[in-house]
Amino acid sequence: MSEEGVMTDPERGNRTGMPEVVFAQGKSEEKLLAAVETLLDKHPVLVTKASEDQCRILKEKYPNSLVQQKMGVAVIGGVWKEGVGRCMIITAGTSDVPIAEEAALSLEYLGIEPIRAYDRGVAGIHRMQDAVDLLQKEPAIGVIVVAGMEGALPSVVAGQLKQPVVAVPTSVGYGSSFEGMAALLGMLNSCVPGITVVNIDNGFGAAAAIYRMMTNWTL
Amino acid sequence: MSEEGVMTDPERGNRTGMPEVVFAQGKSEEKLLAAVETLLDKHPVLVTKASEDQCRILKEKYPNSLVQQKMGVAVIGGVWKEGVGRCMIITAGTSDVPIAEEAALSLEYLGIEPIRAYDRGVAGIHRMQDAVDLLQKEPAIGVIVVAGMEGALPSVVAGQLKQPVVAVPTSVGYGSSFEGMAALLGMLNSCVPGITVVNIDNGFGAAAAIYRMMTNWTL
Amino acid sequence: MSEEGVMTDPERGNRTGMPEVVFAQGKSEEKLLAAVETLLDKHPVLVTKASEDQCRILKEKYPNSLVQQKMGVAVIGGVWKEGVGRCMIITAGTSDVPIAEEAALSLEYLGIEPIRAYDRGVAGIHRMQDAVDLLQKEPAIGVIVVAGMEGALPSVVAGQLKQPVVAVPTSVGYGSSFEGMAALLGMLNSCVPGITVVNIDNGFGAAAAIYRMMTNWTL
Amino acid sequence: MSEEGVMTDPERGNRTGMPEVVFAQGKSEEKLLAAVETLLDKHPVLVTKASEDQCRILKEKYPNSLVQQKMGVAVIGGVWKEGVGRCMIITAGTSDVPIAEEAALSLEYLGIEPIRAYDRGVAGIHRMQDAVDLLQKEPAIGVIVVAGMEGALPSVVAGQLKQPVVAVPTSVGYGSSFEGMAALLGMLNSCVPGITVVNIDNGFGAAAAIYRMMTNWTL
Amino acid sequence: MSEEGVMTDPERGNRTGMPEVVFAQGKSEEKLLAAVETLLDKHPVLVTKASEDQCRILKEKYPNSLVQQKMGVAVIGGVWKEGVGRCMIITAGTSDVPIAEEAALSLEYLGIEPIRAYDRGVAGIHRMQDAVDLLQKEPAIGVIVVAGMEGALPSVVAGQLKQPVVAVPTSVGYGSSFEGMAALLGMLNSCVPGITVVNIDNGFGAAAAIYRMMTNWTL
Amino acid sequence: MSEEGVMTDPERGNRTGMPEVVFAQGKSEEKLLAAVETLLDKHPVLVTKASEDQCRILKEKYPNSLVQQKMGVAVIGGVWKEGVGRCMIITAGTSDVPIAEEAALSLEYLGIEPIRAYDRGVAGIHRMQDAVDLLQKEPAIGVIVVAGMEGALPSVVAGQLKQPVVAVPTSVGYGSSFEGMAALLGMLNSCVPGITVVNIDNGFGAAAAIYRMMTNWTL
Amino acid sequence: MSEEGVMTDPERGNRTGMPEVVFAQGKSEEKLLAAVETLLDKHPVLVTKASEDQCRILKEKYPNSLVQQKMGVAVIGGVWKEGVGRCMIITAGTSDVPIAEEAALSLEYLGIEPIRAYDRGVAGIHRMQDAVDLLQKEPAIGVIVVAGMEGALPSVVAGQLKQPVVAVPTSVGYGSSFEGMAALLGMLNSCVPGITVVNIDNGFGAAAAIYRMMTNWTL
Amino acid sequence: MSEEGVMTDPERGNRTGMPEVVFAQGKSEEKLLAAVETLLDKHPVLVTKASEDQCRILKEKYPNSLVQQKMGVAVIGGVWKEGVGRCMIITAGTSDVPIAEEAALSLEYLGIEPIRAYDRGVAGIHRMQDAVDLLQKEPAIGVIVVAGMEGALPSVVAGQLKQPVVAVPTSVGYGSSFEGMAALLGMLNSCVPGITVVNIDNGFGAAAAIYRMMTNWTL
């Protein structure tokens, strides 16, 4: 035990339903590759928050993997599950797309089909109507709402439908948005009951929350 | 000049169009009464942010004045102007009413008729429709939107109409609303252009801003 | 429309599955009673964040209602639904119980049976084992974890099971807990995927989120 | 709807009097160009908060457009309106000029002639006198005040005149200016009634607010 | 040394020119009286930040002392020095007077005559002109400027004169004044060189700073 | 397990060397007494952060216990250990004494003799010399330094001696001390290596840290 | 004394048991080398928080030294002591390794053997069991726990063992981790008594604290 | 006046005793040079907070000027005054030297001889003794204390002497120093009376404050 090393958690899939995911931020090249390789022995691997350099390294090492440099996400060796369900992802603007796509790729890795409804900000709330219409009809679909700036979209969406709404604040904005703080506080203080929130820019976390819901209640 | 005293500003009405208003917070009884009396020699007086004790003192001294203890506002000796115009005040919830009424009484003192549309929060956005309908038709009406919690209402309102929207964050909320900080940041970071913001719980400030607009452009 | 008034939202139950709930904070006695009465015409009513005075007023007016003064909660005229499911509520300490009970009473109003596992803080993590054991066996049960101070319990719980975990930070603590900020940040930054978070001390919000999950996926 | 895409809002001009504006921050090259092109079919386009790279791309694609790299602003395909009115822009220092110019170009796009009075900080308050003199005589001119550091200029200006004053805090400063936070708080807490505030560095937002005022009251 | 006790610093007057001052906040009645008594053996005593109860206790015990309950200040057994010089105290509003008077009484204890010029806020900057006129003529007078809200007054004052300006932010204000934070940041970020700042509501600290200046340079 | 209840941790003493301590804040009277009683079956009990009411209740129920109302501490049924060692407690001022005494009583409960050196603030650093002299001679003594305001004392103390220094920031101060935040940040950023820090006002936590050190290394 | 220069502290080793350590951040090349050289005359030197450039310069100048560029640490001229003891370092993830290694190298310089147990985050708490088992058996070993994100690991570790636990928050994380703030607050508010905390990313400080403990109690 | 331009303040020297100083941050090359040139017509010019590029530009244009790239300071065309007095500058560490030198060059420009006593941090407080000894003897010398991290040095220095102490917090530090916030708060909350504070990294501001003191009291 006096060796420094990677301590994998091979039973996590059994315990929590979801395997270990590699958080790339701050990992050296060799530690990143070691973590991926160790897990790949057991199951396909999802990598999140990878830098451009880390993405390039992963793509070189695993040329058949899906690597999205702008989103910092890699899906290596296939997906974890299939056919779990469907989930809608709504964004306020197109600047929120990278985080929305982190969520979308994570959903796909977890076996959930993402339904994208992007660029529906509250400046023109009629734009969210078709998304709401579909959701009113199909109660089994979960909803992820991704928004920066004032983060008002989850309130407006959740006030129109019955589904669980997982809100993802993004760091899109400037000045007193304080890197997503304004959106985060807005979402936490929503006047609409039943919205839950994940960390700023945590698209993967929202996907994982939806997965926990779906795999426990759709059976 | 080596005397401590109240230094009134009798020319302020000429200079800024609006007379000095008494900010009661932290003033001793005698200083409060001295300030009111000095100004009352020249024009009717508006008092804001008065404590319950201060309201009682003012009501005793000026029994004919309009004193709203819950709002901390007193209008003494009549109003400053009449017939300046009309302004709609929209609130997200009924808990925001005290601040909305601070704005309404200030508008009345300044000669602007307040049109109240309270309790139109984004949890049920259809409730703001009649307000929006009226405003689409009457461009000369200004709009004050008062909201606590996530402060999303100004964005939704301003996305539906052409008028100037002055947003007033309130300290309604708890936890991470941080005494109105969440609403303030939400309003400052609105994705809808043309919203301006005043201090948390500053109903009077919003009324004064509308007055500046109306007296400069409705002539 | 130029009248100040309460603008009820009678279709909210149809739209979002959940009726309007009365947020009591900052409401005057008459506005509080008016809001309750208007809604009571249509369905049983839940009141949250009521002060001791407001609780007393509600109990006097509705002597048959369930009013929990310490939790600031009142359930008036019966419950909204029955038989929706079960949800476990885990607290870190006994000081977190008032917020946990706000969640429990809200769950009961929404038709979900609360299963209480209180006082399982991370100082002795073996204490959460029986709760985890039950949850490992019954995947259909949702989990609310209520914790103040460092807010570490949701991470530890979620690392042991598959269910959706809704984390409620509480303002229990002192000094640099900053009224629940430390717990909130801890929960948002959890290294365990799939935890979602609601506002500090928002027990009702967690119950509403569980209700959205259960009513969309257990059918 | 399962396609990711840009959801334009072609009716926004009719609804709010102002067309959609492209917020460039964080948009990929293709999404930026797609957004501009879609809107350009209907009306001239304003782009704000563009990076140097994005400015270069826009200039290459639209060589006849007005692109100000330092301000991050582009006006493409002409202006939205003409002859709406005049607005004065006052800055505290020359370091505030880029944000002031964002406001100026936005005003021009919206049909308002900017009158620049730069470098009038409170260190030498006599420098704002000629600006004040003009404004005292011409009540129809609105005022935008742009200042970083302590953000005191809007108070001093608004204490001298009757016009609506829209204050723009800038991130000019260092240390405890906290990227414009000091100026923002200063402006929100002004002791002079009727000042309204927009986000830090939001020159465009101030122009839009003035436009809402002018198009509703100058008719 | 294993005894708990008061460790007086009898040489402080020799070392720093100023004797120990009793900071009353949080001291039990007996500890407060013990501290005063021990110091009173050697020199007159200044007490600051005393609660109403503590002021009453001190007045009972030392009926000949000067005790200002609203300012939380007591001067017991006479003054420390006489004839050191004169210092002007300027306040923005009358709500700032309690802190200004803390400074004034501290100055008197230290032998400096306070010259009060209260209620000269930037809403009407002409009101500070007579104060400035006097100061332009008498370079030996120091200046303390006391202001809450946006804290702009020190900048405007210091831009008009040559004297050292010690700025005292006060907690006067509400909402985003954050208990004096806005004023503090405003003063620290002043664009006028040579302003120095003390803690929020620290009237005594400003007096002590002026005393250090005067006793080192006027001799 | 569906019962709400207190989940004691009887093995904590074996596991961590220290028994469970009752954190009284926010506990109802019955929950507080239940917690004390359950633990008292097994060992003497320490209660911290008790309100005045809670102290009174404990004193009535356990008249032989040591209850310090001002410190919010109760020691019931004797002490946990004896003869573990000695620890010096140094405070900056006498206002810090309540927190220092929370530490002292906790030390006594844990079997460590407190050696008090109070009122040695950095305004007169010679006052800490006798404390330092003793510590230079007796390396086996640990040191707790308790300070509010700028929290500079731990740096100065630790720069003079070899012992472990546990720093306790207190909420003594006002204005920009932000309830102890300034002292906390000061201690965390000390330029003297080897200082460790506990939460604001956490006297008990410092005692527990010293206990962990002493029981692991003095054997 | 009117010369600018480096003021070494040659007696610090005698006074505090530990020699001066060079904090490289912000030092010019010549000042850095001067500081190292001056100290090297008397004893081996530890350098912390060196940039990549500074590391390269040190390696060139002292080719036999141990320089870890990624950790920003250099050990020049040998170690300060040997054989002082052993200390376990536990990290939550592999991204925390650079800070853990700063601690490890500092321990080695101070004569303490580091025992590494990396990657034991609370997502899979069984992974810390072997570390705990060893520590339960060997009470003389101190423990440093290094964690970013929610910083929950120190609580869980300290709840399982008797040793002193020094917690090091790291800036690993994103969004509302606020560069380590979330982890710092989590550790300060731990519900487990006896944890002490050092600054964010201060691996060296934790090592120094352990050294103070060991050299005072193992004699 | 409709021209954008530089509005110089030629009377500032007469009014405040000190000429306009050029704050370079954020100024374009042409605006920077225009500002320098305009002022240079009337008196020597001081430039502060210049980037490396700006320093290079100034050096090229004014080869005879004194330009310190690392400090971001330029003195062009000679000094403003001579023979005003002497001022000691004490720093905590060598990392604080760039800000100390900003102060030193500003003092020289203002005619005050700087006496440097660098690297006297509180880790070894004996190092400040010779500085204190000199100051105790020469009361006419002012003192600037420059420190980052916990910012404790001004308290210790001011507790030993009679002079006015102007404290300059620096952004030296990491983690919870929050770019100088910890040092700033420490200095504002000093327990030693009479310390005044300027903005983080504002060496020039401290020099200007000393100049105001000296030119008003040494005549």
Side-chain angles (χ1 to χ4, degrees), chain E residues 159-191:
Chain E
Q160 297 298 315
L161 51 78
K162 298 186 173 71
Q163 279 75 7
V165 172
V166 178
V168 186
T170 70
S171 50
V172 169
Y174 60 92
S176 64
S177 90
F178 296 127
E179 312 285 319
M181 182 71 159
L184 171 63
L185 292 180
M187 291 168 179
L188 286 167
N189 287 283
S190 174
C191 60

Short mmCIF file of all heavy atoms in Angstrom, two decimals, chain E residues 159-191:
data_model
loop_
_atom_site.label_atom_id
_atom_site.label_comp_id
_atom_site.label_asym_id
_atom_site.label_seq_id
_atom_site.Cartn_x
_atom_site.Cartn_y
_atom_site.Cartn_z
N GLY E 159 -11.01 65.04 -4.50
CA GLY E 159 -10.70 65.63 -5.80
C GLY E 159 -10.68 67.14 -5.75
O GLY E 159 -10.25 67.79 -6.71
N GLN E 160 -11.13 67.71 -4.63
CA GLN E 160 -11.21 69.18 -4.51
C GLN E 160 -10.18 69.76 -3.55
O GLN E 160 -10.12 70.97 -3.40
CB GLN E 160 -12.61 69.58 -4.01
CG GLN E 160 -13.73 69.22 -4.95
CD GLN E 160 -13.61 69.92 -6.28
OE1 GLN E 160 -13.34 71.10 -6.33
NE2 GLN E 160 -13.76 69.19 -7.37
N LEU E 161 -9.40 68.93 -2.87
CA LEU E 161 -8.50 69.53 -1.87
C LEU E 161 -7.23 68.73 -1.67
O LEU E 161 -7.04 67.67 -2.23
CB LEU E 161 -9.26 69.76 -0.56
CG LEU E 161 -10.04 68.57 0.02
CD1 LEU E 161 -9.09 67.62 0.71
CD2 LEU E 161 -11.07 69.10 0.99
N LYS E 162 -6.33 69.31 -0.86
CA LYS E 162 -4.98 68.78 -0.71
C LYS E 162 -4.79 67.91 0.53
O LYS E 162 -3.78 67.21 0.67
CB LYS E 162 -3.99 69.95 -0.60
CG LYS E 162 -3.91 70.87 -1.79
CD LYS E 162 -2.79 71.87 -1.59
CE LYS E 162 -2.51 72.73 -2.81
NZ LYS E 162 -3.56 73.71 -3.11
N GLN E 163 -5.71 67.99 1.47
CA GLN E 163 -5.51 67.33 2.76
C GLN E 163 -5.57 65.80 2.65
O GLN E 163 -6.18 65.27 1.73
CB GLN E 163 -6.60 67.76 3.76
CG GLN E 163 -6.34 69.06 4.43
CD GLN E 163 -6.59 70.22 3.50
OE1 GLN E 163 -7.09 70.05 2.39
NE2 GLN E 163 -6.23 71.41 3.94
N PRO E 164 -4.97 65.14 3.64
CA PRO E 164 -5.20 63.70 3.75
C PRO E 164 -6.67 63.45 4.04
O PRO E 164 -7.28 64.16 4.86
CB PRO E 164 -4.33 63.26 4.92
CG PRO E 164 -3.77 64.46 5.55
CD PRO E 164 -4.04 65.64 4.66
N VAL E 165 -7.24 62.49 3.36
CA VAL E 165 -8.65 62.15 3.54
C VAL E 165 -8.72 60.71 4.04
O VAL E 165 -8.27 59.79 3.36
CB VAL E 165 -9.42 62.29 2.21
CG1 VAL E 165 -10.84 61.74 2.34
CG2 VAL E 165 -9.44 63.73 1.76
N VAL E 166 -9.28 60.54 5.24
CA VAL E 166 -9.52 59.20 5.77
C VAL E 166 -11.00 58.90 5.59
O VAL E 166 -11.85 59.62 6.11
CB VAL E 166 -9.11 59.10 7.25
CG1 VAL E 166 -9.41 57.71 7.77
CG2 VAL E 166 -7.63 59.43 7.41
N ALA E 167 -11.29 57.83 4.83
CA ALA E 167 -12.66 57.50 4.50
C ALA E 167 -13.19 56.42 5.44
O ALA E 167 -12.52 55.42 5.67
CB ALA E 167 -12.73 57.02 3.06
N VAL E 168 -14.38 56.65 5.96
CA VAL E 168 -15.03 55.67 6.85
C VAL E 168 -16.32 55.20 6.18
O VAL E 168 -17.31 55.92 6.14
CB VAL E 168 -15.40 56.29 8.21
CG1 VAL E 168 -15.94 55.22 9.15
CG2 VAL E 168 -14.22 57.02 8.82
N PRO E 169 -16.34 53.96 5.67
CA PRO E 169 -17.60 53.43 5.14
C PRO E 169 -18.53 53.10 6.30
O PRO E 169 -18.08 52.66 7.36
CB PRO E 169 -17.18 52.16 4.42
CG PRO E 169 -15.87 51.76 5.02
CD PRO E 169 -15.22 53.01 5.54
N THR E 170 -19.84 53.35 6.11
CA THR E 170 -20.78 52.96 7.16
C THR E 170 -21.74 51.90 6.63
O THR E 170 -21.89 51.72 5.43
CB THR E 170 -21.62 54.16 7.65
OG1 THR E 170 -22.54 54.54 6.62
CG2 THR E 170 -20.74 55.33 8.03
N SER E 171 -22.40 51.25 7.57
CA SER E 171 -23.36 50.20 7.19
C SER E 171 -24.72 50.79 6.87
O SER E 171 -25.70 50.05 6.77
CB SER E 171 -23.45 49.17 8.30
OG SER E 171 -23.68 49.79 9.55
N VAL E 172 -24.80 52.10 6.68
CA VAL E 172 -26.06 52.72 6.27
C VAL E 172 -26.38 52.29 4.84
O VAL E 172 -25.53 52.38 3.96
CB VAL E 172 -25.96 54.25 6.36
CG1 VAL E 172 -27.16 54.92 5.68
CG2 VAL E 172 -25.86 54.69 7.81
N GLY E 173 -27.58 51.85 4.64
CA GLY E 173 -28.02 51.35 3.34
C GLY E 173 -28.83 50.09 3.53
O GLY E 173 -29.14 49.72 4.66
N TYR E 174 -29.16 49.43 2.44
CA TYR E 174 -29.93 48.19 2.53
C TYR E 174 -29.71 47.42 1.25
O TYR E 174 -29.04 47.90 0.33
CB TYR E 174 -31.43 48.49 2.76
CG TYR E 174 -32.05 49.30 1.67
CD1 TYR E 174 -32.67 48.69 0.59
CD2 TYR E 174 -31.98 50.69 1.69
CE1 TYR E 174 -33.22 49.44 -0.44
CE2 TYR E 174 -32.52 51.44 0.66
CZ TYR E 174 -33.14 50.81 -0.40
OH TYR E 174 -33.66 51.55 -1.41
N GLY E 175 -30.24 46.23 1.18
CA GLY E 175 -30.12 45.42 -0.02
C GLY E 175 -28.67 45.17 -0.37
O GLY E 175 -27.89 44.72 0.48
N SER E 176 -28.28 45.52 -1.58
CA SER E 176 -26.93 45.21 -2.03
C SER E 176 -25.86 46.13 -1.44
O SER E 176 -24.72 46.11 -1.91
CB SER E 176 -26.87 45.24 -3.56
OG SER E 176 -27.14 46.55 -4.02
N SER E 177 -26.21 46.93 -0.44
CA SER E 177 -25.13 47.62 0.28
C SER E 177 -24.36 46.60 1.13
O SER E 177 -23.24 46.85 1.55
CB SER E 177 -25.68 48.74 1.17
OG SER E 177 -25.98 48.27 2.46
N PHE E 178 -24.99 45.45 1.38
CA PHE E 178 -24.35 44.37 2.13
C PHE E 178 -23.63 44.89 3.37
O PHE E 178 -22.45 44.67 3.58
CB PHE E 178 -23.40 43.58 1.23
CG PHE E 178 -24.13 42.87 0.12
CD1 PHE E 178 -23.75 43.03 -1.21
CD2 PHE E 178 -25.22 42.07 0.38
CE1 PHE E 178 -24.44 42.40 -2.24
CE2 PHE E 178 -25.92 41.44 -0.64
CZ PHE E 178 -25.52 41.61 -1.94
N GLU E 179 -24.38 45.60 4.18
CA GLU E 179 -23.91 46.07 5.50
C GLU E 179 -22.66 46.93 5.41
O GLU E 179 -21.79 46.86 6.29
CB GLU E 179 -23.63 44.88 6.43
CG GLU E 179 -24.73 43.84 6.49
CD GLU E 179 -25.90 44.32 7.32
OE1 GLU E 179 -25.65 44.92 8.37
OE2 GLU E 179 -27.05 44.11 6.90
N GLY E 180 -22.53 47.68 4.35
CA GLY E 180 -21.39 48.60 4.24
C GLY E 180 -20.34 48.15 3.23
O GLY E 180 -19.42 48.91 2.92
N MET E 181 -20.47 46.94 2.73
CA MET E 181 -19.52 46.40 1.76
C MET E 181 -19.44 47.28 0.51
O MET E 181 -18.36 47.54 0.00
CB MET E 181 -19.99 44.99 1.38
CG MET E 181 -19.10 44.26 0.42
SD MET E 181 -17.55 43.78 1.23
CE MET E 181 -17.04 42.44 0.13
N ALA E 182 -20.60 47.73 0.01
CA ALA E 182 -20.58 48.55 -1.20
C ALA E 182 -19.79 49.83 -0.97
O ALA E 182 -18.96 50.23 -1.79
CB ALA E 182 -22.01 48.89 -1.64
N ALA E 183 -20.03 50.47 0.17
CA ALA E 183 -19.30 51.71 0.47
C ALA E 183 -17.81 51.44 0.64
O ALA E 183 -16.96 52.20 0.17
CB ALA E 183 -19.88 52.37 1.73
N LEU E 184 -17.49 50.37 1.32
CA LEU E 184 -16.08 50.01 1.53
C LEU E 184 -15.38 49.81 0.19
O LEU E 184 -14.30 50.38 -0.05
CB LEU E 184 -16.00 48.73 2.37
CG LEU E 184 -14.61 48.11 2.50
CD1 LEU E 184 -13.65 49.03 3.21
CD2 LEU E 184 -14.69 46.78 3.23
N LEU E 185 -15.97 49.01 -0.68
CA LEU E 185 -15.33 48.76 -1.98
C LEU E 185 -15.23 50.05 -2.78
O LEU E 185 -14.22 50.30 -3.44
CB LEU E 185 -16.12 47.70 -2.75
CG LEU E 185 -16.08 46.30 -2.16
CD1 LEU E 185 -16.89 45.34 -3.02
CD2 LEU E 185 -14.66 45.79 -2.02
N GLY E 186 -16.27 50.86 -2.74
CA GLY E 186 -16.22 52.12 -3.46
C GLY E 186 -15.04 52.97 -3.00
O GLY E 186 -14.29 53.51 -3.83
N MET E 187 -14.84 53.06 -1.70
CA MET E 187 -13.76 53.90 -1.19
C MET E 187 -12.39 53.33 -1.53
O MET E 187 -11.45 54.06 -1.85
CB MET E 187 -13.92 54.06 0.31
CG MET E 187 -15.15 54.91 0.66
SD MET E 187 -15.55 54.81 2.42
CE MET E 187 -16.98 55.91 2.50
N LEU E 188 -12.25 52.01 -1.46
CA LEU E 188 -10.96 51.39 -1.77
C LEU E 188 -10.60 51.57 -3.25
O LEU E 188 -9.42 51.59 -3.60
CB LEU E 188 -11.00 49.89 -1.45
CG LEU E 188 -10.96 49.53 0.03
CD1 LEU E 188 -11.32 48.05 0.21
CD2 LEU E 188 -9.58 49.81 0.62
N ASN E 189 -11.61 51.67 -4.10
CA ASN E 189 -11.36 51.76 -5.53
C ASN E 189 -11.47 53.18 -6.06
O ASN E 189 -11.62 53.38 -7.27
CB ASN E 189 -12.34 50.85 -6.27
CG ASN E 189 -12.00 49.39 -6.09
OD1 ASN E 189 -11.08 48.91 -6.73
ND2 ASN E 189 -12.69 48.70 -5.20
N SER E 190 -11.36 54.15 -5.20
CA SER E 190 -11.49 55.53 -5.63
C SER E 190 -10.48 55.87 -6.72
O SER E 190 -9.32 55.47 -6.67
CB SER E 190 -11.27 56.46 -4.44
OG SER E 190 -11.27 57.79 -4.89
N CYS E 191 -10.92 56.66 -7.69
CA CYS E 191 -10.02 57.11 -8.75
C CYS E 191 -9.21 58.33 -8.31
O CYS E 191 -8.37 58.80 -9.06
CB CYS E 191 -10.81 57.42 -10.01
SG CYS E 191 -12.04 58.71 -9.79
#
